[in-house]
C-alpha cells in the first residue's frame, strides 16, 4: 500500500507518487515597492498583483503574473527633485521548490522557492521640484512616440501620444510559502526587477534633461526596483 504524504508537518520518507498532485493555482498578493536609481532616497509605495500558476511536478512550476503599483523616491543633492511612477507589469515566471528538491524526506508545510523569468513593464513617470512641486521631467506627453522595444539606441517610432512607456525586464525572486489547509497557503515574496531603461524615475543619468525620448539614454546603469509582499493562494486540480 502506498504511504500518504505527511499532512501535519512531521517529516517522513518520501514514498508518494510525485506526479499525483499537480495543482493549478491562483494567488493574490500585496506589498511595498523600493526603487534603485538616480532618485533613490526611498518613498515606498504599494503594489497589488494576481498570478495564475501550473505545477508540472512537486519541484517545478510556471506562473503568469500581472501587477499594478507605484514607485517613488527623491534626491536633494544635484537633482533637488522627487518622482512618482505608476506602472503595470506582465511576467512569465519559472519557479523551483528548493525544499522539495533537496529534502530526502517528506517536507512539512513550509516551502522555500527561488524563481526567475521574463517580463514587460508599462509605466509613466514624473519628476517634481522639491521646493514647489513643479513638474521638471516626464516620460510621456502628447508628443511622445514609441521607442524601439528592448533597444538602447534608436529614433522614436510608431504611434504618437503614447501614454505609457513599455520596456522589457528580468524578474528574480524568492518566496516562502506555508500550507494552511489542503488547498490554501500563505506566503512571503521578495522580487527584484532589472528593467531595460534608465528613466523609471523620469531621470536619465547625472543630468537634468527631459528623458521623454530616445536621445535621453545615458551611460549610467539601468534602473531597478523590488517589492516585498504577502500572498494568499488557492490551489486546485
Amino acid at each position: 500500500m502506498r504511504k500518504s504524504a505527511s499532512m501535519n508537518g512531521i517529516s517522513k520518507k518520501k514514498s508518494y507518487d510525485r506526479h499525483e498532485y499537480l495543482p493549478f493555482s491562483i494567488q493574490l498578493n500585496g506589498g511595498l515597492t523600493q526603487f534603485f536609481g538616480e532618485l533613490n532616497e526611498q518613498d515606498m509605495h504599494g503594489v497589488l498583483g494576481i498570478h495564475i500558476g501550473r505545477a508540472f511536478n512537486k519541484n517545478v512550476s510556471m506562473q503568469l503574473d500581472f501587477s499594478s503599483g507605484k514607485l517613488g523616491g527623491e534626491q536633494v543633492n544635484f537633482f533637488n527633485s522627487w518622482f512618482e511612477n505608476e506602472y503595470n507589469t506582465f511576467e512569465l515566471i519559472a519557479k523551483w521548490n528548493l525544499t522539495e528538491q533537496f529534502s530526502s524526506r517528506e517536507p512539512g508545510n513550509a516551502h522555500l522557492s527561488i524563481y526567475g523569468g521574463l517580463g514587460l513593464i508599462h509605466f509613466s513617470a514624473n519628476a517634481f521640484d522639491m521646493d514647489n512641486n513643479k513638474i521638471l521631467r516626464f516620460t510621456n506627453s502628447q508628443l511622445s512616440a514609441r521607442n524601439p522595444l528592448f533597444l538602447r539606441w534608436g529614433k522614436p517610432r510608431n504611434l504618437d501620444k503614447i501614454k505609457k512607456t513599455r520596456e522589457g525586464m528580468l524578474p528574480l525572486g524568492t518566496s516562502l510559502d506555508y500550507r494552511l489547509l489542503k488547498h490554501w497557503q500563505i506566503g512571503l515574496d521578495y522580487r527584484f526587477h532589472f528593467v531595460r531603461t534608465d528613466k523609471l524615475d523620469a531621470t536619465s543619468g547625472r543630468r537634468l534633461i527631459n528623458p521623454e525620448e530616445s536621445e535621453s539614454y545615458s551611460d549610467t546603469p539601468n534602473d531597478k526596483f523590488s517589492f516585498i509582499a504577502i500572498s494568499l493562494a488557492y490551489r486546485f486540480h
Side-chain angles (χ1 to χ4, degrees):
M1 179 182 295
R2 180 182 58 80
K3 296 180 181 180
S4 61
S6 173
M7 297 296 291
N8 60 5
I10 300 175
S11 296
K12 61 169 65 175
K13 288 185 177 180
K14 292 181 177 179
S15 56
Y16 50 75
D17 179 357
R18 296 181 66 81
H19 296 278
E20 179 185 15
Y21 186 55
L22 304 179
F24 290 91
S25 67
I26 184 168
Q27 177 176 296
L28 300 175
N29 61 23
L32 296 174
T33 61
Q34 186 173 14
F35 174 74
F36 305 91
E38 283 81 14
L39 307 187
N40 57 6
E41 294 179 8
Q42 296 304 320
D43 180 16
M44 301 180 77
H45 288 269
V47 60
L48 295 174
I50 182 171
H51 86 236
I52 298 174
R54 170 70 160 89
F56 297 98
N57 53 52
K58 288 182 177 287
N59 300 336
V60 179
S61 61
M62 299 286 292
Q63 63 189 51
L64 184 64
D65 290 13
F66 170 79
S67 65
S68 180
K70 289 185 177 182
L71 301 173
E74 64 183 45
Q75 184 61 255
V76 177
N77 297 331
F78 185 76
F79 293 107
N80 192 44
S81 57
W82 62 276
F83 86 97
E84 188 171 83
N85 179 317
E86 296 184 354
Y87 72 87
N88 297 313
T89 64
F90 302 88
E91 300 165 69
L92 180 62
I93 300 292
K95 197 170 186 178
W96 185 24
N97 189 322
L98 298 180
T99 308
E100 282 283 358
Q101 182 68 51
F102 295 107
S103 176
S104 60
R105 305 180 69 85
E106 169 63 12
N109 292 330
H111 292 264
L112 178 66
S113 301
I114 59 174
Y115 59 82
L118 296 173
L120 190 67
I121 183 170
H122 291 241
F123 69 92
S124 178
N126 298 294
F128 304 88
D129 190 279
M130 291 287 294
D131 299 321
N132 55 27
N133 292 330
K134 179 182 178 180
I135 189 167
L136 300 175
R137 298 178 300 279
F138 49 85
T139 56
N140 301 89
S141 74
Q142 291 295 315
L143 301 178
S144 296
R146 182 72 73 199
N147 288 343
L149 187 62
F150 298 116
L151 298 181
R152 188 173 182 82
W153 303 102
K155 294 181 179 180
R157 65 186 184 191
N158 301 333
L159 301 179
D160 58 2
K161 299 181 180 180
I162 298 300
K163 294 182 179 180
K164 288 185 179 291
T165 299
R166 65 185 183 190
E167 296 286 356
M169 63 180 187
L170 298 175
L172 298 174
T174 183
S175 65
L176 179 62
D177 300 301
Y178 186 84
R179 186 171 63 177
L180 296 173
L181 300 168
K182 179 179 179 180
H183 293 286
W184 291 95
Q185 68 180 27
I186 60 172
L188 184 65
D189 193 347
Y190 180 76
R191 186 175 303 184
F192 203 90
H193 297 87
F194 296 87
V195 186
R196 193 70 173 92
T197 184
D198 183 35
K199 57 182 183 178
L200 282 181
D201 51 358
T203 305
S204 183
R206 296 286 295 179
R207 50 193 184 169
L208 303 177
I209 67 172
N210 182 42
E212 181 183 11
E213 301 296 2
S214 61
E215 67 270 12
S216 68
Y217 284 115
S218 70
D219 293 329
T220 57
N222 291 329
D223 290 335
K224 300 170 282 291
F225 73 96
S226 66
F227 70 72
I228 186 168
I230 296 174
S231 64
L232 177 65
Y234 181 81
R235 305 188 305 172
F236 54 94
H237 289 283

